Short mmCIF file of all heavy atoms in Angstrom, two decimals:
data_model
loop_
_atom_site.label_atom_id
_atom_site.label_comp_id
_atom_site.label_asym_id
_atom_site.label_seq_id
_atom_site.Cartn_x
_atom_site.Cartn_y
_atom_site.Cartn_z
N ILE A 1 3.80 23.21 -14.52
CA ILE A 1 4.85 24.17 -14.81
C ILE A 1 4.22 25.53 -15.04
O ILE A 1 3.05 25.65 -15.39
CB ILE A 1 5.70 23.74 -16.02
CG1 ILE A 1 4.86 23.61 -17.28
CG2 ILE A 1 6.41 22.42 -15.75
CD1 ILE A 1 5.68 23.30 -18.53
N VAL A 2 5.01 26.57 -14.81
CA VAL A 2 4.53 27.93 -14.97
C VAL A 2 5.11 28.54 -16.24
O VAL A 2 5.99 27.97 -16.88
CB VAL A 2 4.91 28.79 -13.74
CG1 VAL A 2 4.24 28.25 -12.49
CG2 VAL A 2 6.42 28.84 -13.56
N PHE A 3 4.56 29.65 -16.60
CA PHE A 3 5.00 30.39 -17.78
C PHE A 3 6.53 30.47 -17.82
O PHE A 3 7.18 30.81 -16.84
CB PHE A 3 4.40 31.80 -17.75
CG PHE A 3 4.72 32.65 -18.94
CD1 PHE A 3 3.82 32.80 -19.97
CD2 PHE A 3 5.95 33.30 -19.05
CE1 PHE A 3 4.12 33.58 -21.07
CE2 PHE A 3 6.25 34.08 -20.15
CZ PHE A 3 5.34 34.22 -21.16
N GLY A 4 7.10 30.13 -18.97
CA GLY A 4 8.55 30.21 -19.13
C GLY A 4 9.12 28.89 -19.61
O GLY A 4 8.44 28.09 -20.25
N THR A 5 10.39 28.64 -19.26
CA THR A 5 11.11 27.46 -19.72
C THR A 5 11.47 26.57 -18.55
O THR A 5 12.00 27.03 -17.54
CB THR A 5 12.37 27.85 -20.49
OG1 THR A 5 12.01 28.67 -21.61
CG2 THR A 5 13.11 26.63 -20.99
N THR A 6 11.18 25.28 -18.71
CA THR A 6 11.47 24.28 -17.69
C THR A 6 12.31 23.17 -18.29
O THR A 6 12.06 22.74 -19.42
CB THR A 6 10.17 23.68 -17.12
OG1 THR A 6 9.40 24.73 -16.53
CG2 THR A 6 10.47 22.62 -16.09
N GLU A 7 13.34 22.73 -17.52
CA GLU A 7 14.15 21.61 -17.97
C GLU A 7 13.45 20.29 -17.66
O GLU A 7 12.93 20.10 -16.56
CB GLU A 7 15.53 21.63 -17.31
CG GLU A 7 16.47 22.66 -17.86
CD GLU A 7 17.88 22.49 -17.32
OE1 GLU A 7 18.08 21.63 -16.41
OE2 GLU A 7 18.80 23.18 -17.81
N LEU A 8 13.46 19.40 -18.65
CA LEU A 8 12.92 18.06 -18.47
C LEU A 8 14.08 17.08 -18.61
O LEU A 8 14.67 16.94 -19.67
CB LEU A 8 11.84 17.77 -19.51
CG LEU A 8 11.01 16.50 -19.33
CD1 LEU A 8 10.20 16.56 -18.04
CD2 LEU A 8 10.06 16.32 -20.51
N ASP A 9 14.43 16.43 -17.50
CA ASP A 9 15.59 15.56 -17.44
C ASP A 9 15.17 14.11 -17.67
O ASP A 9 14.46 13.53 -16.86
CB ASP A 9 16.28 15.71 -16.09
CG ASP A 9 17.61 14.96 -16.01
OD1 ASP A 9 17.97 14.24 -16.96
OD2 ASP A 9 18.30 15.09 -14.97
N LEU A 10 15.64 13.53 -18.78
CA LEU A 10 15.33 12.13 -19.10
C LEU A 10 16.54 11.22 -18.95
O LEU A 10 16.60 10.15 -19.53
CB LEU A 10 14.78 12.01 -20.53
CG LEU A 10 13.51 12.79 -20.86
CD1 LEU A 10 12.96 12.36 -22.22
CD2 LEU A 10 12.47 12.64 -19.80
N SER A 11 17.52 11.65 -18.14
CA SER A 11 18.74 10.87 -18.00
C SER A 11 18.50 9.50 -17.37
O SER A 11 19.31 8.59 -17.55
CB SER A 11 19.77 11.66 -17.17
OG SER A 11 19.26 11.98 -15.88
N ASN A 12 17.40 9.35 -16.64
CA ASN A 12 17.10 8.07 -16.01
C ASN A 12 16.30 7.12 -16.90
O ASN A 12 15.92 6.04 -16.46
CB ASN A 12 16.35 8.28 -14.70
CG ASN A 12 17.20 8.95 -13.63
OD1 ASN A 12 18.42 8.73 -13.57
ND2 ASN A 12 16.58 9.76 -12.79
N TYR A 13 16.05 7.55 -18.14
CA TYR A 13 15.23 6.75 -19.05
C TYR A 13 16.05 6.29 -20.25
O TYR A 13 17.05 6.90 -20.61
CB TYR A 13 14.00 7.53 -19.50
CG TYR A 13 13.13 7.97 -18.35
CD1 TYR A 13 13.10 9.31 -17.95
CD2 TYR A 13 12.37 7.06 -17.65
CE1 TYR A 13 12.32 9.71 -16.88
CE2 TYR A 13 11.58 7.45 -16.58
CZ TYR A 13 11.56 8.78 -16.20
OH TYR A 13 10.79 9.19 -15.13
N ASN A 14 15.61 5.20 -20.85
CA ASN A 14 16.30 4.63 -21.99
C ASN A 14 16.15 5.50 -23.23
O ASN A 14 15.24 6.34 -23.33
CB ASN A 14 15.77 3.23 -22.29
CG ASN A 14 16.04 2.24 -21.17
OD1 ASN A 14 17.04 2.33 -20.47
ND2 ASN A 14 15.13 1.28 -20.98
N THR A 15 17.05 5.31 -24.19
CA THR A 15 16.90 5.98 -25.47
C THR A 15 15.63 5.50 -26.16
O THR A 15 15.18 4.37 -25.96
CB THR A 15 18.11 5.72 -26.37
OG1 THR A 15 18.24 4.30 -26.59
CG2 THR A 15 19.38 6.25 -25.74
N GLY A 16 15.05 6.37 -26.98
CA GLY A 16 13.82 6.00 -27.69
C GLY A 16 12.88 7.17 -27.83
O GLY A 16 13.25 8.33 -27.66
N ILE A 17 11.63 6.86 -28.13
CA ILE A 17 10.60 7.86 -28.38
C ILE A 17 9.71 8.00 -27.14
O ILE A 17 9.27 7.02 -26.56
CB ILE A 17 9.75 7.49 -29.61
CG1 ILE A 17 10.62 7.50 -30.87
CG2 ILE A 17 8.56 8.44 -29.77
CD1 ILE A 17 9.92 6.96 -32.10
N TYR A 18 9.42 9.25 -26.79
CA TYR A 18 8.52 9.58 -25.70
C TYR A 18 7.50 10.61 -26.19
O TYR A 18 7.76 11.34 -27.15
CB TYR A 18 9.28 10.12 -24.49
CG TYR A 18 10.23 9.10 -23.89
CD1 TYR A 18 11.50 8.92 -24.42
CD2 TYR A 18 9.84 8.32 -22.82
CE1 TYR A 18 12.36 7.96 -23.90
CE2 TYR A 18 10.70 7.36 -22.28
CZ TYR A 18 11.96 7.19 -22.82
OH TYR A 18 12.80 6.25 -22.30
N LEU A 19 6.37 10.64 -25.55
CA LEU A 19 5.33 11.60 -25.91
C LEU A 19 5.04 12.52 -24.73
O LEU A 19 4.79 12.06 -23.62
CB LEU A 19 4.05 10.88 -26.33
CG LEU A 19 4.14 10.01 -27.57
CD1 LEU A 19 2.80 9.37 -27.87
CD2 LEU A 19 4.61 10.80 -28.77
N LEU A 20 5.10 13.82 -25.01
CA LEU A 20 4.85 14.83 -24.01
C LEU A 20 3.48 15.45 -24.26
O LEU A 20 3.26 16.08 -25.30
CB LEU A 20 5.93 15.90 -24.05
CG LEU A 20 5.80 17.02 -22.99
CD1 LEU A 20 6.10 16.47 -21.60
CD2 LEU A 20 6.72 18.18 -23.33
N LYS A 21 2.58 15.29 -23.32
CA LYS A 21 1.26 15.88 -23.42
C LYS A 21 1.22 17.14 -22.56
O LYS A 21 1.53 17.10 -21.37
CB LYS A 21 0.19 14.89 -22.94
CG LYS A 21 -1.22 15.45 -22.94
CD LYS A 21 -2.19 14.46 -22.31
CE LYS A 21 -3.57 15.07 -22.17
NZ LYS A 21 -4.49 14.16 -21.44
N VAL A 22 0.84 18.25 -23.17
CA VAL A 22 0.77 19.54 -22.49
C VAL A 22 -0.69 19.97 -22.43
O VAL A 22 -1.36 20.07 -23.46
CB VAL A 22 1.61 20.61 -23.22
CG1 VAL A 22 1.53 21.94 -22.50
CG2 VAL A 22 3.06 20.15 -23.35
N THR A 23 -1.19 20.25 -21.23
CA THR A 23 -2.58 20.67 -21.04
C THR A 23 -2.59 22.04 -20.37
O THR A 23 -2.07 22.20 -19.26
CB THR A 23 -3.35 19.67 -20.16
OG1 THR A 23 -3.24 18.36 -20.72
CG2 THR A 23 -4.81 20.06 -20.05
N ASN A 24 -3.17 23.04 -21.04
CA ASN A 24 -3.19 24.38 -20.46
C ASN A 24 -4.38 24.54 -19.52
O ASN A 24 -5.17 23.61 -19.29
CB ASN A 24 -3.17 25.45 -21.55
CG ASN A 24 -4.44 25.50 -22.39
OD1 ASN A 24 -5.47 24.92 -22.06
ND2 ASN A 24 -4.37 26.21 -23.52
N GLU A 25 -4.55 25.74 -18.99
CA GLU A 25 -5.59 25.99 -18.00
C GLU A 25 -6.99 25.95 -18.58
O GLU A 25 -7.98 25.86 -17.84
CB GLU A 25 -5.33 27.33 -17.30
CG GLU A 25 -4.04 27.34 -16.46
CD GLU A 25 -3.73 28.68 -15.85
OE1 GLU A 25 -3.88 29.70 -16.58
OE2 GLU A 25 -3.35 28.75 -14.67
N ASN A 26 -7.09 26.04 -19.90
CA ASN A 26 -8.38 25.92 -20.57
C ASN A 26 -8.67 24.49 -21.01
O ASN A 26 -9.59 24.23 -21.79
CB ASN A 26 -8.44 26.86 -21.78
CG ASN A 26 -8.39 28.32 -21.39
OD1 ASN A 26 -8.98 28.73 -20.40
ND2 ASN A 26 -7.65 29.12 -22.17
N ASN A 27 -7.84 23.56 -20.53
CA ASN A 27 -7.98 22.13 -20.83
C ASN A 27 -7.76 21.81 -22.30
O ASN A 27 -8.26 20.82 -22.82
CB ASN A 27 -9.35 21.60 -20.38
CG ASN A 27 -9.31 20.11 -20.07
OD1 ASN A 27 -8.32 19.59 -19.57
ND2 ASN A 27 -10.41 19.43 -20.37
N GLN A 28 -7.00 22.66 -23.00
CA GLN A 28 -6.59 22.39 -24.36
C GLN A 28 -5.27 21.62 -24.33
O GLN A 28 -4.42 21.89 -23.49
CB GLN A 28 -6.42 23.68 -25.16
CG GLN A 28 -7.70 24.49 -25.29
CD GLN A 28 -7.45 25.87 -25.85
OE1 GLN A 28 -6.49 26.54 -25.45
NE2 GLN A 28 -8.30 26.31 -26.76
N THR A 29 -5.11 20.67 -25.23
CA THR A 29 -3.94 19.80 -25.18
C THR A 29 -3.12 19.86 -26.46
O THR A 29 -3.65 20.12 -27.54
CB THR A 29 -4.34 18.34 -24.90
OG1 THR A 29 -5.10 17.85 -26.00
CG2 THR A 29 -5.12 18.21 -23.62
N GLN A 30 -1.85 19.66 -26.30
CA GLN A 30 -0.92 19.48 -27.41
C GLN A 30 -0.05 18.27 -27.10
O GLN A 30 0.24 18.00 -25.94
CB GLN A 30 -0.03 20.71 -27.61
CG GLN A 30 -0.78 22.00 -27.87
CD GLN A 30 0.16 23.18 -28.05
OE1 GLN A 30 1.33 23.01 -28.37
NE2 GLN A 30 -0.34 24.39 -27.87
N THR A 31 0.37 17.58 -28.12
CA THR A 31 1.22 16.42 -27.95
C THR A 31 2.49 16.59 -28.78
O THR A 31 2.42 16.90 -29.97
CB THR A 31 0.50 15.13 -28.38
OG1 THR A 31 -0.71 15.01 -27.64
CG2 THR A 31 1.37 13.91 -28.13
N VAL A 32 3.64 16.41 -28.14
CA VAL A 32 4.93 16.59 -28.79
C VAL A 32 5.73 15.29 -28.66
O VAL A 32 5.78 14.71 -27.58
CB VAL A 32 5.72 17.75 -28.17
CG1 VAL A 32 7.02 17.98 -28.94
CG2 VAL A 32 4.89 19.02 -28.13
N LYS A 33 6.33 14.86 -29.75
CA LYS A 33 7.18 13.69 -29.72
C LYS A 33 8.59 14.10 -29.31
O LYS A 33 9.17 15.01 -29.90
CB LYS A 33 7.22 12.99 -31.07
CG LYS A 33 8.07 11.71 -31.05
CD LYS A 33 7.97 10.95 -32.35
CE LYS A 33 8.81 11.57 -33.43
NZ LYS A 33 8.90 10.70 -34.65
#
């Protein structure tokens, strides 16, 4: 994804908890529940 806001559509997935891992160009990571 590029700078800005992107929609993430989970309509095809069941209810529950998911983990989103974000890795920037410097290979730094963040994890969001």
Side-chain angles (χ1 to χ4, degrees):
I1 60 175
V2 297
F3 182 100
T5 301
T6 299
E7 285 189 353
L8 190 63
D9 187 354
L10 301 191
S11 59
N12 292 327
Y13 301 107
N14 296 327
T15 59
I17 296 172
Y18 296 84
L19 297 180
L20 182 70
K21 177 186 174 185
V22 180
T23 306
N24 68 13
E25 294 176 317
N26 295 321
N27 206 35
Q28 298 169 317
T29 65
Q30 302 179 22
T31 304
V32 184
K33 182 174 78 171

